[in-house]
Amino acid sequence: MSGFPFLSVLTVLPLVGALVVGLIPRQKAELAKTVALAWSLVVLVLSIFMWVAFKIDGDRFQFHESYQWIPSWDARFTFAADGIALVMLMLIAVLTPVVILASWHDVDGDGKRSAPVYFALLLAFEFTMIGVFAAADIFLFYVFFEVMLIPMYFIIGSFGGARRQYAAVKFFLYSLVGGLFMLASVIGLWVVGGHTFDFTRVLQSVGEIDQNTSRWLFLGFFVAFAIKAPFFPFHTWLPDAGGAAPAGAAALLVGVMDKVGTFGILRYCLPLFPEASRWFAPAALVLAVIGIIYAALLAVGQNDLKRLVSYTSIAHFGFIGVGIFAFTTQAGTGSVLYMVNHGLATGLLFIVVGMFVARRGSSLVSDFGGAGKLLPVLAGVLFFAGLASLALPGTAPFISEFLVLIGTFTVHKAYAVIATVGIILAAAYVLWMVQRTTQGTLNPALEEVPAMRKDITLREKVVVAPLILLLLFLGFYPKPVTDVINPAVQATMQDVGKTDPGPTAVTANGGVAR
């Protein structure tokens, strides 16, 4: 099936599904949910076929497709995937049906909100996410980068919590401003890059761009991606959006959409502007380690479960940023693997938190206390999700975090040591959350809530089981994923002009040689 148009079909399929689900009458909510779930499973099956068809020792970009779009700009519907894009596409394909099933009752009993519209928006969001990772035309990437704001804006603004309007507008404005910076750089790159948006052709002409222009263009892309990720100090929209969004949608927001920022840095900033990337790297590393410590400290002080998880994600993105700008293959591979593992772990954590919130009717930590006595299995799943989030050995995030730190330590010891402090703080905020929520004396108010006596259901077991299994499997055997990632990361490091440091040895006269 190597000649099959995987990427274009995968991109269009969720959009068609969104239109079909959106046209189902509101009264037939169960039908809309079933169609949305089945449609997302078809995308998952097709993604698995694409994964199998990907050749690890093949070309850097595979499944190439190109269709005419705007000839006067040389903008085309061009799709291609390297190993980095492929693992992100698989993450989307895995998380979307899980989120749809987890969100099964999110709109039940609400006559003001339409279940078909909600699940159509989830599929529309999947369409934009697949498109942004599959695009190999810079202008097409920009279009998907901006369009993906629309379904999430309506998901947060129409189906979110108490502060949903404020959070939705803040999310949209922050991302829109970042997109304007990116648009300026996209136009500038077209002017100096040979009047084309084709990524491969622009990549071949980067040596002709003068230093100052390259740095300005890099900055436009970087600001847009730093807001999307988000990196400190562009992070303030995420706790509001993550706190207000429905739990399932928040899992997609933090688990996948935010990865567009780090993916964009790897795909566009580093290869297209290698000198500028090296020049800005020290500043990016400083912002990343500040983000790790700052966000972890804020997470420790949160009383809202969903905001707490959002702040933990900002800290995790700091680790990813450190790995990217360390410019070593180990750290780079660890960063991409971290993007995948964080999506699984934080996706699971958001979904389980959503299960607690749905039962209690509140996301405040202070409204729980001793909940594990009423919900022992669900409390155990929350504990596992928390341990995976803090990168406990044996879970997938540990592998990626270890690779980032060891790869960074070989070239930037100080940054690696400071980042390690974030691991200690992670243990503090995760254990504090679990202890205050599920352990200790039972809060008498919980016994008065009938839903708090219903432990994990069969549907919820089906939701969390695949994520738990993947986190454990990749925690012990990450090779299937790292084998796909490594060639793409090595090619990116070559684009930047960086090589891994050699082993250190002591010479006969006591000197140090490499």
Side-chain angles (χ1 to χ4, degrees):
M1 297 184 67
S2 58
F4 185 81
F6 282 107
L7 295 175
S8 58
V9 173
L10 280 173
T11 302
V12 173
L13 200 57
L15 177 61
V16 176
L19 294 174
V20 171
V21 174
L23 291 174
I24 295 175
R26 176 183 297 192
Q27 296 78 10
K28 298 184 178 180
E30 290 300 315
L31 175 62
K33 298 173 189 179
T34 304
V35 172
L37 179 60
W39 217 284
S40 65
L41 289 173
V42 172
V43 174
L44 173 59
V45 171
L46 188 58
S47 299
I48 293 172
F49 278 114
M50 181 176 66
W51 180 279
V52 173
F54 186 83
K55 295 179 175 60
I56 295 174
D57 56 352
D59 295 337
R60 178 179 181 180
F61 292 98
Q62 300 180 34
F63 312 119
H64 188 274
E65 303 174 51
S66 189
Y67 310 97
Q68 193 175 74
W69 184 20
I70 310 175
S72 59
W73 296 355
D74 196 26
R76 301 176 63 85
F77 286 108
T78 301
F79 301 99
D82 62 358
I84 300 172
L86 182 66
V87 296
M88 295 310 302
L89 290 169
M90 278 302 305
L91 177 64
I92 297 166
V94 169
L95 277 183
T96 302
V98 168
V99 165
I100 289 174
L101 192 57
S103 307
W104 206 257
H105 298 302
D106 281 3
V107 198
D108 285 357
D110 191 339
K112 298 180 180 179
R113 300 187 290 185
S114 168
V117 170
Y118 178 71
F119 288 95
L121 287 171
L122 288 178
L123 287 176
F125 189 55
E126 183 181 28
F127 151 69
T128 61
M129 289 189 295
I130 291 175
V132 80
F133 289 112
D137 179 278
I138 297 172
F139 187 71
L140 181 63
F141 171 84
Y142 170 75
V143 170
F144 277 116
F145 184 88
E146 293 291 68
V147 170
M148 70 190 312
L149 302 178
I150 298 173
M152 184 53 69
Y153 169 80
F154 284 108
I155 289 173
I156 297 173
S158 299
F159 299 92
R163 289 168 54 86
R164 59 182 180 271
Q165 295 295 339
Y166 169 79
V169 171
K170 189 174 183 179
F171 156 76
F172 194 87
L173 290 179
Y174 265 68
S175 299
L176 188 64
V177 169
L180 293 176
F181 279 95
M182 182 176 168
L183 177 61
S185 286
V186 167
I187 295 172
L189 189 60
W190 183 83
V191 172
V192 301
H195 295 83
T196 181
F197 288 114
D198 183 81
F199 176 78
T200 304
R201 290 170 58 187
V202 173
L203 186 61
Q204 294 170 349
S205 66
V206 294
E208 302 172 8
I209 304 176
D210 70 82
Q211 185 181 89
N212 287 334
T213 301
S214 176
R215 290 178 179 180
W216 280 109
L217 294 177
F218 170 93
L219 192 60
F221 277 99
F222 179 78
V223 169
F225 296 143
I227 291 173
K228 183 74 76 178
F231 290 139
F232 174 89
F234 309 104
H235 64 281
T236 59
W237 65 268
L238 182 58
D240 292 310
L252 288 177
L253 172 70
V254 178
V256 181
M257 196 197 83
D258 289 354
K259 308 300 190 309
V260 174
T262 49
F263 171 82
I265 293 172
L266 286 162
R267 168 64 69 82
Y268 295 98
C269 287
L270 270 57
L272 297 180
F273 315 109
E275 186 278 333
S277 298
R278 297 191 299 270
W279 192 76
F280 277 101
L285 285 167
V286 169
L287 293 179
V289 295
I290 290 176
I292 293 172
I293 305 302
Y294 178 74
L297 290 172
L298 288 177
V300 172
Q302 293 302 307
N303 188 41
D304 186 289
L305 285 169
K306 293 167 73 176
R307 288 179 65 89
L308 188 154
V309 178
S310 298
Y311 275 113
T312 68
S313 294
I314 298 170
H316 293 152
F317 278 106
F319 278 102
I320 296 172
V322 168
I324 291 173
F325 285 99
F327 295 138
T328 67
T329 304
Q330 275 185 325
T333 298
S335 289
V336 178
L337 188 61
Y338 211 136
M339 289 159 62
V340 176
N341 294 338
H342 172 266
L344 296 173
T346 302
L348 176 62
L349 189 55
F350 252 122
I351 287 170
V352 177
V353 163
M355 293 174 183
F356 274 91
V357 173
R359 284 166 167 79
R360 181 66 178 92
S362 170
S363 61
L364 298 181
V365 176
S366 54
D367 285 339
F368 288 89
K373 292 179 173 61
L374 300 176
L375 308 168
V377 178
L378 196 57
V381 178
L382 177 68
F383 185 50
F384 174 82
L387 293 179
S389 180
L390 65 82
L392 183 77
T395 62
F398 171 76
I399 304 294
S400 45
E401 199 165 275
F402 180 78
L403 285 172
V404 166
L405 291 174
I406 196 172
T408 303
F409 190 80
T410 58
V411 289
H412 299 294
K413 291 180 174 58
Y415 293 122
V417 171
I418 296 172
T420 305
V421 176
I423 300 176
I424 301 171
L425 293 174
Y429 59 65
V430 167
L431 295 178
W432 176 86
M433 173 191 70
V434 171
Q435 192 273 330
R436 292 285 301 274
T437 304
T438 64
Q439 305 300 310
T441 304
L442 177 64
N443 182 350
L446 297 183
E447 296 184 286
E448 301 174 7
V449 182
M452 287 299 297
R453 295 185 177 275
K454 299 176 183 178
D455 206 351
I456 191 167
T457 65
L458 177 60
R459 175 184 61 85
E460 291 169 337
K461 290 176 183 177
V462 174
V463 168
V464 301
L467 298 182
I468 292 173
L469 292 174
L470 283 170
L471 287 166
L472 291 173
F473 175 76
L474 295 177
F476 286 94
Y477 190 64
K479 189 175 184 295
V481 179
T482 55
D483 282 350
V484 171
I485 294 171
N486 270 324
V489 171
Q490 290 169 359
T492 303
M493 293 302 107
Q494 290 174 4
D495 291 336
V496 182
K498 287 287 188 176
T499 58
D500 291 337
T504 302
V506 179
T507 63
N509 61 2
V512 175
R514 288 189 179 274

